[in-house]
Structure formats: C-alpha cells, structure tokens
Amino acid sequence: MSFGGPQWPQEPQQQGQQGYGQPGGRGEQGRGRGYGQQPGGQGYGQGAGGYGYPGPQGGAPGPYSGSDPRGGAPAPFPGAPAPDPFPGAQGGGSTPDWGALADASASRNRRRRRLMAAGGVLATLLVGAIVATAVVATGKKDDTAKNGGGAPTGAVSPTEAPSPEPTFSSVAPPPPPNPKDYISDPKKDKAPLTAEGLFPGTKLTMSGRPYKKGATSATTNCAAVTQGGLGAVLKDNGCQKVLRATYVRDGVAVTVGVAVLPSEAAALRAKERATGGIAPLVGAGVGDFCRATVCLRRSNAIGRYAYFTQAGFANGKKVTMADKGVFVSSDDLGTFAFNQIYARGRSQASAAAGAPGQ
C-alpha cells in the first residue's frame, strides 16, 4: 500500500532465502555487511544503508557487469555505491517510512478541509450580503410608496381603453306568466276555441289505452245539450258555449262536454251545483247510449271552464260499481279534457312571454 510515495517493488525477503550478508550465513534483512559473494549470486552493500541483491541463479558472478541487476542505471565504476532506486523513499533502509507518508497525507487532508471550510464561510457571507441588500432595497421601495413618491413602473397607453365591467340590473325579472291566469280571465283568454281544436284527431291514447273518436259538436245553447237540471245551472252561471265529443273503447262510450263560463267563480259554482249531466252525443258510428238506463256522470272545473263526462255501455247495459272499465274510461276522458284546457292556457302564456308588453 502507498500513501502518496513510491510504490515498493517487492516485499523484503524472508529467512531461508538468499539475501544479504556473509556467505553461508543468514542474511540480515535490510542490512549489508560489506562485500560478500554468495553461492549463485552477487551481493554488495555499503555501511548500514547498503543493498544486497541475489544474482542470477546458475550464472557466473558479475560484480562489475556495468549494469544494475535491478534494471536501473549502470554503476559508474566498480565498487561505487549503487544508485538509490527509490529516491522518494524516506531513509536508507530497505522499507519506506510509512509514518512519514501517513503524516504527509494527513497534512494534505487537513489543508483540503481548511480550504473547504473557508470556502463555505465565504459562500455563507456572500448569500447573507445578497439577502441584506434585497431587504434594504425592498424597504426603500415600501417607504417610497408610503410617501407617495417614486416613479410609476408602467404607464397606460392613451390609446388603451379600460375593459368595461359587467353590469347587473337591480330589478328582478318578472315571473313567467301563469297558464291558469289565461284560462281564468276572459280578457286574457282570447285564443280561438272550436270543438276540433279542443278535441283534435280521430283517436287518442291515455295510459296505453286507445280510444276512437266519434262525433263532435259546439253550441251556444248550453241547456240544449244537457240532461236533468244541468241546463238550468249552466244558464244561471252565464254559460257561453258547450263543446262536446264522444269516444269509444271496448263497448264503453263516453261523451265529454266543456262549458265556457265568464269567470272561475262561475265555473266552480256550476261544478258544485251540477245535477243531471251532459247529454250523450251519438253519430259517427256511435249509437244511442245512456238513455233510460244507469250511467256514470262526473263534473269538474279548471279556470273558467267546467267539464262533465257521461259514460255507459254502448249496448244500453246498466252500469254498476263492479264495472271497472266504465270508471277507467270516465277517468281517462276527464283527464284528457283537463289537459286540453290547461294546454290552452300554457300556449297563451308562452306567447305572452315571447312578446312582453303586448
């Protein structure tokens, strides 16, 4: 192993090898005692610091061969001391001074550590100076801003206009029109009203149940299209028109009649005081029904419209509570009338919302 010095070429010889010393005796490691020729080799040394080298085995002795058997420079003259092959080694012994080499390496390491520590301190001082300068500069800027001084960092171009801010009205938009208002007030309920417009098409389907449409009619003689006391009730409440249509499904016929009244209050009174019922409408493939027999009569109202249904068997059979088909058909046609009247109000409200102020 080497600590910065020369690499030692070989280990010292051990006892039993041919080496340094007198012929026939043990060689003292690293010490020469004058000239002595050993069997099969040549050795020479100088004082306490000489070197001994075995000669080539089996060869003739050559103390004055003119060259160093170690491969170094030739000896200048016979008997001169051999040149030191390791001038960098400490001392004149056969082994280097390992302690001195270690001390030299440690000294270099200490110098390196001192240099690194000095560099770190210098870097720390430099960073601190930069931070202090930045803090002072920031404080100056803040003081300038507080005192109202300092030049602006940028100027707005005279050609640039500021972006407009969005504006919002503080007035809430009006609520959408209520469809019921348009079917309750005659002043708003101005849309045309016909039997074909109220009962369009040739059939209808309610909850998957198809109905075929029969005859339709419209009249201003409200009492003429009623049975029992319903005519008088409609007349007393100012009935203006009655529109009717008949639908048939599975042997059950239903006539639905819609009475137009001057106000919502009048329609509610007609509903509550109704007696008798709407007269069945025959024709268009539907024969006479609900005459001199028991049928199912119902009445209801929405807005200024009162609507009535009369349901029974097309063959004149009496209706009983067990006849669920008749009740279902009556419900379907009553729901259909309600939907049609409300749709009238919704369409007029939508039109008004699309043209405000009119």
Side-chain angles (χ1 to χ4, degrees):
M1 180 180 292
S2 172
F3 295 93
Q7 186 75 22
W8 204 253
Q10 65 184 20
E11 294 296 330
Q13 295 185 9
Q14 304 298 322
Q15 294 184 1
Q17 296 178 338
Q18 289 183 351
Y20 318 118
Q22 297 178 354
R26 293 185 178 179
E28 182 178 356
Q29 295 182 6
R31 312 290 289 181
R33 297 185 180 181
Y35 306 114
Q37 184 175 356
Q38 299 178 7
Q42 177 70 32
Y44 43 86
Q46 184 179 7
Y51 299 92
Y53 299 94
Q57 296 182 3
Y64 307 112
S65 62
S67 63
D68 191 338
R70 293 167 293 173
F77 54 86
D84 188 357
F86 308 111
Q90 299 292 329
S94 61
T95 60
D97 190 344
W98 297 112
L101 294 177
D103 291 342
S105 178
S107 177
R108 285 192 298 274
N109 290 337
R110 283 194 298 272
R111 284 197 300 272
R112 187 181 299 108
R113 286 195 296 271
R114 284 196 295 270
L115 289 175
M116 291 177 65
V121 172
L122 181 60
T124 302
L125 294 176
L126 181 60
V127 172
I130 294 173
V131 172
T133 303
V135 170
V136 171
T138 304
K140 289 182 178 180
K141 291 182 181 179
D142 292 343
D143 293 341
T144 302
K146 290 179 181 178
N147 295 330
T153 58
V156 179
S157 174
T159 60
E160 294 181 356
S163 301
E165 295 292 334
T167 58
F168 302 95
S169 175
S170 59
V171 180
N178 187 349
K180 191 171 181 293
D181 293 341
Y182 285 82
I183 56 176
S184 300
D185 186 354
K187 294 179 181 180
K188 294 182 178 181
D189 191 13
K190 299 293 187 179
L193 181 60
T194 63
E196 286 299 323
L198 193 61
F199 309 112
T202 60
K203 61 181 180 179
L204 67 89
T205 299
M206 296 293 294
S207 301
R209 293 179 288 273
Y211 291 84
K212 180 181 178 181
K213 188 175 78 172
T216 61
S217 72
T219 181
T220 57
N221 187 359
C222 299
V225 292
T226 64
Q227 290 179 334
L230 183 59
V233 172
L234 294 179
K235 182 179 179 180
D236 291 343
N237 286 281
C239 180
Q240 300 170 353
K241 184 186 291 187
V242 174
L243 301 96
R244 293 184 299 164
T246 298
Y247 293 87
V248 180
R249 173 181 176 268
D250 294 340
V252 177
V254 182
T255 294
V256 55
V258 178
V260 183
L261 295 130
S263 66
E264 184 177 12
L268 288 174
R269 285 194 299 268
K271 166 196 169 184
E272 293 170 356
R273 300 175 184 178
T275 59
I278 195 76
L281 178 62
V282 299
V286 180
D288 198 5
F289 67 98
C290 288
R291 292 191 182 271
T293 188
V294 177
C295 287
L296 178 62
R297 298 171 179 174
R298 286 177 170 171
S299 61
N300 214 324
I302 177 174
R304 68 186 190 113
Y305 296 88
Y307 55 97
F308 310 91
T309 58
Q310 175 122 244
F313 290 106
N315 59 6
K317 178 184 174 183
K318 177 181 177 180
V319 176
T320 66
M321 294 296 294
D323 296 319
K324 300 300 181 182
V326 176
F327 285 85
V328 170
S329 295
S330 177
D331 290 342
D332 286 345
L333 268 299
T335 301
F336 173 67
F338 173 91
N339 291 342
Q340 290 298 97
I341 297 169
Y342 192 82
R344 175 180 173 84
R346 185 169 55 245
S347 64
Q348 293 181 93
S350 297
Q358 296 185 4

